Amino acid sequence: MERREVLKLSAAAGAAGALTLGRVSFAAAAPAAGQAEDGPAAGGRPPEQSRTVTGHLPVGAPDFVYLPVDVPHGVRELAVAYRYDKPPVPDGTAGNACDIGIFDERGTALGGAGFRGWSGGARTEFFLRADDATPGYLPGPINAGTWHIALAPYTVAPQGLDYEVTVTVRHGPRGTTPKPVHPPERARGRGRAWYRGDNHLHSVYSDGKRTPAQIAALARAAGLDFITTTEHNTTAAHRAWEGLWGDDLLILTGEEVTTRNGHVVAMGTDPEVFIDWRYRARDNAFGRYARAIRRAGGLVIPAHPHATCVGCNWKFGLNDADAVEVWNGPYGPDDEATLAEWDNTLVAHARRGGESGWLPAVGHSDAHRDPDVIGLPQTVVLADDLSRRAIQEGIRTGRVWIAESARVDLAFTVTGERGEHAGIGERLAVPDAAAVTARLTVSGVPGCTVSFVTDQGRRHTAPLPPSGTDTVTWRTTPANAAYIRAEVRHPSTSTDLPGPMAAMTNPIFLGVS
């Protein structure tokens, strides 16, 4: 087909803005006499046909560009390859980056009925068949009808973006789609206990380099009890963990919903439930998809809200969140910014007198490839058992602390003068003038410093002995501290920032709400 510009606006393609290109068609021929329509190529139809489309997208191109493909009857396999130019750009100017995915004959409407896969910018080619598909894509029949290849120009250079897409259809018997096997929702566990997990992980099913088997082995080596598979904008990995779970490891399914205005971890959604990502904050659509995550049994957790990568910064606000990822991978300045923002939500909750819910903090590795460390950090959850529902309930209620590794252990409580006590995520309901004692027992953090933080800021700091094991206490009253949370930090490596986090807790609230 000839090189061409984008042809027309498509109002049905999504709130984030989209364009639709001209249609790609393939020669069709009637089946030979007595031959099933989806049987081998016959009637003059070649066993394989390819079409190549080229085009140019200018600066300001819409978020999604759809290439309609008329798929004829009798197709066994659909394959797509693409490439785009990467011209030099001045320093400080974004170059070309273009993601890709595909929707089947059920269409591209928001909500994802026709969704068949997404690889973002991780692959230059993919295929789909009934019995198999490239990781990130869903196996299933290649039904006749209009499919849509989705191009997503993430950033466009000043010169524009030249692209080339080659679509190939291969005729023949369809094959059989294997029945997916999904992880169970419960592992043996230890009854009511603190369980360690990592709910933000990537494999070869999106832009990671590790296989699910490698991730499971590394999770066990890191001392984790549970993990969540969260590939970018696809559920294809949900069926890829067969044989990898066990009594010692709970594997939850989910998705990292990767919009142009931030990413959200949909943690523990039902297997195969796809959550759409094709909207921006200005479209006022996120609440709808947050509710969809919850309907699918998941938690809504904004990921790395202050990350500096393009599109990673969270712009949707925190009103629809169940928790927030305050620590993502090795602790850095963007985590410090998220921590400060999260702490402000605790202050706002205290200012409201505790009348509405508060937002718990979690931490995840977001590990993609070596040398990313699975379980750095890890979310440690007090749960009634090692099950999807119990772990989610522990996170939802804030019975959570975060550690840089399984070597770190801690216990944090606040007690009153008459034996009252409360743990992480709970409230110590005593009068404003009552004296209370915060107590943190910690181990596995040599060279670190403990701090108690309240709505007035950092109120008490104590260095730990060389062993990294000690108990630190501090006395205050609810009148002077609406909540207390604990931080354990390494020595500072910068004059502008406190030291990197080794562990931190969610708050214990004080006073009668």
Side-chain angles (χ1 to χ4, degrees), residues 154-365:
Y154 216 71
T155 56
V156 178
Q159 302 94 319
L161 184 152
D162 293 333
Y163 64 86
E164 177 183 286
V165 181
T166 298
V167 186
T168 300
V169 295
R170 299 183 176 101
H171 300 277
R174 282 187 174 180
T176 302
T177 303
K179 183 178 180 179
V181 178
H182 300 126
E185 294 190 13
R186 183 183 301 271
R188 177 178 293 173
R190 304 180 296 278
R192 185 172 175 83
W194 291 94
Y195 294 100
R196 296 172 181 263
D198 191 344
N199 297 312
H200 188 170
L201 294 165
H202 298 279
S203 76
V204 294
Y205 281 79
S206 60
D207 61 344
K209 296 298 184 183
R210 292 167 173 152
T211 65
Q214 291 170 322
I215 291 173
L218 289 169
R220 288 182 165 98
L224 300 183
D225 301 295
F226 64 93
I227 59 174
T228 305
T229 171
T230 55
E231 307 297 355
H232 293 284
N233 299 341
T234 182
T235 60
H238 290 186
R239 59 185 72 191
W241 297 83
E242 185 174 2
L244 299 178
W245 57 79
D247 289 343
D248 63 330
L249 184 64
L250 175 69
I251 300 175
L252 305 179
T253 55
E255 179 184 339
E256 184 174 4
V257 183
T258 307
T259 81
R260 296 299 180 85
N261 286 155
H263 303 181
V264 62
V265 170
M267 180 215 158
T269 47
D270 294 333
E272 309 289 333
V273 174
F274 168 72
I275 306 298
D276 216 314
W277 75 98
R278 292 171 292 162
Y279 43 85
R280 292 190 182 224
R282 67 191 182 206
D283 300 320
N284 197 29
F286 179 69
R288 169 184 169 188
Y289 293 98
R291 291 189 293 273
I293 291 169
R294 294 193 187 96
R295 282 196 305 273
L299 297 184
V300 179
I301 305 177
H304 44 66
H306 287 274
T308 57
C309 47
V310 174
C312 293
N313 200 270
W314 185 251
K315 301 291 188 183
F316 295 94
L318 298 174
N319 290 338
D320 290 301
D322 295 309
V324 61
E325 189 183 83
V326 302
W327 182 354
N328 176 277
Y331 196 85
D334 53 328
D335 301 304
E336 199 67 50
T338 303
L339 180 68
E341 180 181 40
W342 168 71
D343 190 78
N344 288 341
T345 70
L346 302 180
V347 174
H349 172 75
R351 188 172 62 242
R352 294 191 299 268
E355 294 179 355
S356 59
W358 60 282
L359 190 65
V362 296
H364 307 132
S365 73

Side-chain angles (χ1 to χ4, degrees), residues 35 58 76 105 134 153 164 177 181 187 197 208 219 226 264 392 403 445 490 497:
Q35 180 183 8
R76 175 177 180 267
E105 80 286 351
T134 298
E164 177 183 286
T177 303
V181 178
F226 64 93
V264 62
Q392 289 176 322
V445 283
H490 293 283
L497 294 170

